[in-house]
Amino acid sequence: MRFLLVEDNRQLASAILDRLAIDGHVVDHAEDLATAEEYTSTTDYDLILLDIMLPDGDGRSFLNAERARGKNTPVIVLTARSEVSDRVGALDMGADDYIAKPFDFSELEARCRAVLRRRTGTATNTIRFGQVALDALAGTLSNGSKVIELRNRELRLLEVFFGAPGQIIPKSKLVDRLFSYDEDVSENAIEVYVGRVRRHLEGSDVSIVTVRGLGYRLAVP
């Protein structure tokens, strides 16, 4: 998944970035609203972690503007404010959840998973197609009787395909989902990861099909 973290506290931001990187997520970091707006104007994110008090304004104004533009990217508000009215206000503006500072990173991770499950309409961390099952929390792919431990980018690549079965996904979108702005990669890198994932799916009724000139498609029974 590709996240955007909008947080001006560099120490906290660094800790969050490190923790989410361990989980295999790609995270872009904006220290102010202007940078956040620049990022969201060019990139579609799976989730936004949004601080309220920022150097150039209130994070709630950014949230309100995103919703006014019709963007429904899930947003979790990070707030040091304990007043109920502040939390209710953020939720009424379109936030999907909030977490009060200081927080435990395991709780933040759990809230991210819960918000993403709600958006995809799933009640568990496991997605099944035919003979295979992807467990995003455990980081495994079950193919018949085999349970395969996935590397981070293999897991995130499968999440993209399993989230859009049957749809053609261009290489450029896969690069966008798997790599941050700081990483200089070519679309050829995607071919390497797709090759690895295809091997994991061998022998099952699920496959990744190349659509020449357009991208890839997850073929499911």
Side-chain angles (χ1 to χ4, degrees), residues 154 157 187-197 199 216:
E154 293 172 352
L157 180 63
E187 293 184 0
N188 291 336
I190 294 300
E191 296 178 9
V192 174
Y193 289 107
V194 169
R196 292 179 184 174
V197 169
R199 288 193 290 273
Y216 301 100

Side-chain angles (χ1 to χ4, degrees), residues 3 20 23 25 46-49 74-79 87 91 95-119 125 137:
F3 294 176
L20 293 176
D23 291 339
H25 297 295
D46 297 296
L47 178 68
I48 297 174
L49 301 173
V75 174
I76 297 178
V77 169
L78 312 177
T79 177
R87 301 197 298 268
L91 293 171
D96 295 82
D97 200 356
Y98 68 88
I99 186 168
K101 301 176 184 178
F103 49 78
D104 186 272
F105 288 113
S106 60
E107 180 184 1
L108 176 63
E109 291 169 323
R111 288 181 180 271
C112 290
R113 290 193 297 268
V115 166
L116 291 169
R117 285 199 305 269
R118 289 200 296 270
R119 280 302 173 105
N125 294 299
L137 180 56

Side-chain angles (χ1 to χ4, degrees), residues 132 141 143 146 148 150 154 157-158 161-162 169 171 174 190-212 215-219:
V132 301
L141 180 75
N143 182 353
K146 295 188 300 182
I148 302 162
L150 298 169
E154 293 172 352
L157 180 63
L158 280 169
F161 281 119
F162 276 51
I169 304 176
K171 284 185 181 179
L174 294 176
I190 294 300
E191 296 178 9
V192 174
Y193 289 107
V194 169
R196 292 179 184 174
V197 169
R198 277 176 167 157
R199 288 193 290 273
H200 296 328
L201 294 171
E202 286 178 355
S204 75
D205 54 354
V206 175
S207 61
I208 296 175
V209 178
T210 299
V211 182
R212 191 172 298 277
Y216 301 100
R217 176 175 60 84
L218 184 72

Side-chain angles (χ1 to χ4, degrees), residues 54-195:
L54 292 157
D56 55 349
D58 191 315
R60 289 171 295 188
S61 64
F62 169 82
L63 172 60
N64 194 40
E66 287 289 290
R67 295 301 186 238
R69 286 193 286 267
K71 292 194 173 183
N72 62 354
T73 306
V75 174
I76 297 178
V77 169
L78 312 177
T79 177
R81 298 180 174 183
S82 59
E83 290 83 356
V84 173
S85 59
D86 289 322
R87 301 197 298 268
V88 170
L91 293 171
D92 283 343
M93 281 186 181
D96 295 82
D97 200 356
Y98 68 88
I99 186 168
K101 301 176 184 178
F103 49 78
D104 186 272
F105 288 113
S106 60
E107 180 184 1
L108 176 63
E109 291 169 323
R111 288 181 180 271
C112 290
R113 290 193 297 268
V115 166
L116 291 169
R117 285 199 305 269
R118 289 200 296 270
R119 280 302 173 105
T120 57
T122 58
T124 71
N125 294 299
T126 301
I127 307 174
R128 299 179 183 277
F129 289 116
Q131 298 168 343
V132 301
L134 176 68
D135 188 329
L137 180 56
T140 61
L141 180 75
S142 299
N143 182 353
S145 60
K146 295 188 300 182
V147 178
I148 302 162
E149 298 281 345
L150 298 169
R151 298 179 181 179
N152 281 337
R153 286 206 169 105
E154 293 172 352
L155 170 60
R156 301 311 165 196
L157 180 63
L158 280 169
E159 283 183 325
V160 176
F161 281 119
F162 276 51
Q167 297 181 26
I168 298 174
I169 304 176
K171 284 185 181 179
S172 59
K173 181 174 181 178
L174 294 176
V175 170
D176 185 63
R177 301 261 64 78
L178 266 66
F179 300 96
S180 68
Y181 285 119
D182 297 331
E183 297 174 286
D184 184 19
V185 297
S186 69
E187 293 184 0
N188 291 336
I190 294 300
E191 296 178 9
V192 174
Y193 289 107
V194 169

